[in-house]
Amino acid sequence: MTFVLRALWGARPPVSTILLPGVVSTVFVHHNGDGHGGAHTVAAGSQKMRDDQRYHMDQLGWSDIGYTYGFDQAGNVYEGRGWHVVGAHTEGFNRTSYAFVA
């Protein structure tokens, strides 16, 4: 298992960052319809993270990738927005939760 920081997967800088107002009470696990979990290497997982970020920012107009962290089938973990940052993953729950995508 490898922990892949944003700089290592080639993340673009966020347009803006909002810190969570307190402790989160919920965790969401999302399944990416394009088979995010299908990646078996850091190179493939990094590409999927870049693709997700590009879609979230360029198509949806979000400030960054929506998820807190991502995972691939090899067990590698990819830093998304990271801890203590409001996500854009589950409408109505972004300020009280973290979200992971597999």
Side-chain angles (χ1 to χ4, degrees):
M1 180 188 86
T2 301
F3 185 82
V4 185
L5 296 171
R6 291 175 58 91
L8 296 177
W9 62 259
R12 292 161 43 185
V15 173
S16 63
T17 299
I18 301 170
L19 297 180
L20 286 166
V23 177
V24 301
S25 59
T26 308
V27 172
F28 291 94
V29 178
H30 295 268
H31 176 266
N32 190 320
D34 69 358
H36 189 87
H40 293 276
T41 66
V42 170
S46 294
Q47 182 61 56
K48 290 193 175 290
M49 290 295 284
R50 288 191 300 275
D51 291 345
D52 281 355
Q53 186 186 43
R54 184 173 24 262
Y55 175 71
H56 290 172
M57 294 177 79
D58 298 345
Q59 300 299 313
L60 300 179
W62 297 350
S63 64
D64 197 359
I65 191 168
Y67 310 115
T68 310
Y69 287 93
F71 298 90
D72 67 19
Q73 280 192 333
N76 299 309
V77 180
Y78 301 83
E79 181 183 29
R81 291 194 181 200
W83 302 125
H84 310 294
V85 178
V86 172
H89 46 77
T90 311
E91 188 173 356
F93 294 91
N94 292 323
R95 293 180 177 270
T96 60
S97 64
Y98 288 128
F100 304 93
V101 63

